[in-house]
Amino acid sequence: MAWRLFLSRISNPKSSQTSTFTIFNPRAPFQNPNYFSLLASHFSTSFLVTKTPKKFRKKRKKKESPRTKLVQSEPNRVPALERIVERDAFFRFLIRSKEFLSKQPHHVLRLDDAGKLYRELGFPRGRKVARFIQRHPLIFETYRHDDGKMWLGFTDFMEELLEEERAIMDSMEVDRVAKVRKLLMMSAGKRIPLSKIYHCRLLFGIPDDFRDRVAKYPNYFRVVVEDDGRRVLELVNWDPSLAVSALESEFMVDEEKVKRAFKFAVKHGKDLDLDENDTRKLNLLNTLPLVSPYSDGSKLDLWTLEAEKYRVGVLHEFLSLTLEKRASIHHIVEFKEEFSLTKHTYQMLLKQPRTFYLAGTEMNWVVFLKDAYDENGVLINKGPQVDFTEKLFKHAQMQER
C-alpha cells in the first residue's frame, strides 16, 4: 500500500497536506506531465557506451590541400622538370633581392629595412634575412656604415656580373622589341597595359627600363594614358612576317610532329569498333586545322571547339616567346583578358599532355613546353640570357671564387 500512497501524492501533491489517505486512481500518475521526468531522474544511463571510443574510430584521411597537392601523379611525373621548379624556389631570394637591390640608390639597403621586406626580397615571413644572405657570399655582403647601421649590398664580383647582364640585354634589344610586338599582335585590341609587361619582363628577358626604350620605336608602339591613369602600350603597325606562330614554322619542317601536338578527341560509341589508327584519323578531323594565335580570338564563341583551339595555340605561342619555354600560373593569369582565357585554363592544359607538362602544385603550377627540353630536363635551345642565369646560379652556390 505504501507505493500506492506515494504515487497518489505525486499525482496530487496538495492532497498530502489536507488528507492522509487518498483513493488510488490508476490513471492519475500518467496524467501528470512531469511523471516520466521524475522517474528518469532517479536512474542514470551515463554508464552506457553511446559513442565509439576515439581509439577505435576509423581515421579519416585528410583531404589534401591544393597548396600542397602535386599536379602530376607518380606514374606521370617527370622528375627532371619538377627539379627545375624546386630550383626556382631555392633561388627565389637571390632573384628577387637582385631585382630589388638593383633599383636602389648605390645598390644598397639598410639591413633593418631588409628584414621587413620579406615579400619584395623573396624570403618567408618571420625568418631572419641574414640567414639567406649567408647562403650567397659571392653575391651579397653586409657592412657597417659610418652611421653605425648595418647595410646590405652587392659584392664587387656581383657588380661585374650586373654589367655583363646589361651588356647582354642591350645586344638583344632588337629581338626583345620583336617579342613585344608579337605579344601585342596576339592580344585582344592589340594593346596591353605596360604594368603587365613589366611584371613579366624577366620571362621574356625585357630590361627594367623598357618603358623608356619604347619611345625609340614610334613606328611600332604607342603609349596611351587612360582615364584612370593607367598607361597602355598599343601596336602601331601590323607586320605579317611576325604573324607566323612557332607551330606554323615547325609544320613546314615536320608535319607529322605538329599533327600529334594536340588532341581534340571525337566522341563516338563502341559500336563503331575503331582500332587505334582509325581513332587517330577520326580525331585529326577535329584537331585540324588549328587556329592561328594571331587571329582575333575575342570574336569566337567562348565554349566552341574553335575557341579552345585558339586558346591552346595562344598559350603555345606565349611559351615559345619566353626565354626558358615555361611560365607560372601567375604569368598566364596576368594576360587572361588579352588572350581571352577562361577559368578552366588549368584543366585545358592537362588535356594536352603531348605538348604541355604541368609541374608543381595545383595552386602554384608551372607549365612547360615538353619538346623544348631533353630527357634530362635541359633546355635544348638556350639564349645568352639563359646562359647568364645558369652562370649566376652556379656562383650563388659557391662559398668562394
Side-chain angles (χ1 to χ4, degrees):
M1 292 296 293
W3 66 273
R4 291 183 178 181
L5 182 62
F6 170 71
L7 292 176
S8 66
R9 287 180 178 177
I10 291 175
S11 62
N12 190 7
K14 292 182 179 180
S15 64
S16 63
Q17 300 175 2
T18 57
S19 174
T20 57
F21 179 78
T22 305
I23 297 175
F24 173 67
N25 182 2
R27 294 183 180 180
F30 301 100
Q31 292 174 353
N32 185 357
N34 298 324
Y35 171 71
F36 290 102
S37 61
L38 287 169
L39 284 180
S41 64
H42 294 282
F43 301 97
S44 174
T45 60
S46 61
F47 64 92
L48 297 175
V49 179
T50 56
K51 293 183 178 180
T52 306
K54 192 173 182 180
K55 62 180 179 179
F56 295 119
R57 289 180 200 167
K58 188 176 180 180
K59 293 182 180 180
R60 292 183 180 180
K61 189 176 180 180
K62 288 186 179 180
K63 190 176 180 181
E64 201 167 359
S65 167
R67 188 183 296 275
T68 57
K69 186 177 180 181
L70 297 176
V71 175
Q72 303 291 345
S73 57
E74 189 62 38
N76 301 323
R77 200 167 299 156
V78 180
L81 299 182
E82 297 286 349
R83 282 195 294 270
I84 294 176
V85 178
E86 295 170 2
R87 183 200 68 178
D88 289 349
F90 178 80
F91 287 116
R92 183 179 295 117
F93 173 77
L94 170 67
I95 296 300
R96 291 193 183 179
S97 298
K98 167 181 165 289
E99 290 298 311
F100 190 83
L101 272 179
S102 299
K103 301 169 191 170
Q104 303 304 309
H106 307 294
H107 297 170
V108 293
L109 180 68
R110 278 180 54 179
L111 197 60
D112 291 340
D113 295 334
K116 302 172 187 176
L117 300 171
Y118 59 91
R119 186 176 290 108
E120 291 80 357
L121 299 183
F123 65 93
R125 185 178 183 179
R127 302 287 183 89
K128 291 184 178 181
V129 67
R131 292 181 56 188
F132 293 88
I133 296 172
Q134 292 169 359
R135 286 184 182 178
H136 315 295
L138 295 186
I139 309 299
F140 305 109
E141 65 178 358
T142 57
Y143 63 94
R144 190 174 298 277
H145 200 260
D146 296 338
D147 57 4
K149 300 288 185 179
M150 293 297 294
W151 288 71
L152 166 66
F154 292 128
T155 62
D156 292 338
F157 174 66
M158 183 58 185
E159 292 287 357
E160 295 175 6
L161 289 179
L162 290 177
E163 288 295 331
E164 180 182 340
E165 184 182 31
R166 276 191 285 270
I168 293 173
M169 285 193 170
D170 290 340
S171 66
M172 303 295 293
E173 182 172 330
V174 175
D175 178 74
R176 301 304 177 250
V177 168
K179 286 191 175 185
V180 175
R181 292 175 68 192
K182 288 172 78 72
L183 286 174
L184 289 170
M185 291 169 67
M186 285 195 295
S187 62
K190 311 300 177 278
R191 61 202 310 266
I192 300 176
L194 278 169
S195 59
K196 293 189 176 185
I197 301 177
Y198 182 79
H199 180 256
C200 300
R201 67 191 184 282
L202 297 181
L203 203 63
F204 304 101
I206 299 173
D208 291 341
D209 60 345
F210 87 98
R211 287 174 288 193
D212 301 324
R213 300 193 187 199
V214 163
K216 294 165 55 179
Y217 303 96
N219 294 331
Y220 299 153
F221 309 117
R222 177 174 54 243
V223 178
V224 178
V225 181
E226 298 190 333
D227 296 336
D228 57 359
R230 187 172 60 166
R231 300 172 66 195
V232 179
L233 188 66
E234 293 185 349
L235 184 71
V236 174
N237 291 316
W238 178 274
D239 189 348
S241 64
L242 292 178
V244 180
S245 67
L247 277 176
E248 290 176 289
S249 301
E250 195 172 357
F251 187 83
M252 304 300 292
V253 179
D254 192 344
E255 181 178 336
E256 288 300 318
K257 182 180 178 181
V258 176
K259 285 181 179 180
R260 294 191 302 268
F262 302 117
K263 179 183 177 182
F264 296 94
V266 178
K267 294 182 180 179
H268 59 82
K270 294 182 179 179
D271 298 338
L272 292 178
D273 194 23
L274 300 177
D275 58 20
E276 184 178 349
N277 189 41
D278 291 336
T279 303
R280 187 181 67 84
K281 290 179 180 179
L282 183 63
N283 291 336
L284 273 178
L285 297 176
N286 240 10
T287 304
L288 299 177
L290 297 174
V291 179
S292 172
Y294 295 99
S295 58
D296 192 352
S298 61
K299 294 181 179 180
L300 297 173
D301 190 359
L302 200 60
W303 304 114
T304 60
L305 177 63
E306 295 299 308
E308 185 172 353
K309 286 182 182 180
Y310 166 79
R311 291 191 290 270
V312 168
V314 159
L315 289 178
H316 185 281
E317 185 69 4
F318 178 82
L319 294 175
S320 299
L321 294 176
T322 61
L323 292 178
E324 299 186 41
K325 314 307 177 198
R326 60 189 175 94
S328 72
I329 176 179
H330 311 291
H331 297 127
I332 292 174
V333 169
E334 196 75 46
F335 295 95
K336 180 181 178 181
E337 292 81 11
E338 285 75 16
F339 296 157
S340 303
L341 301 177
T342 68
K343 63 180 180 180
H344 302 295
T345 300
Y346 171 77
Q347 287 81 6
M348 181 186 73
L349 292 173
L350 282 178
K351 290 193 299 183
Q352 305 294 342
R354 297 175 180 176
T355 299
F356 304 117
Y357 178 82
L358 272 70
T361 62
E362 290 183 352
M363 184 175 285
N364 191 19
W365 46 266
V366 177
V367 57
F368 291 78
L369 278 183
K370 291 178 71 173
D371 289 343
Y373 290 81
D374 64 16
E375 57 185 8
N376 298 317
V378 178
L379 190 63
I380 297 173
N381 296 319
K382 299 179 183 179
Q385 283 184 265
V386 176
D387 290 331
F388 173 82
T389 302
E390 292 181 351
K391 177 181 177 181
L392 177 64
F393 288 167
K394 177 183 176 182
H395 288 297
Q397 297 179 81
M398 297 169 61
Q399 296 300 311
E400 58 183 14
R401 292 182 65 177

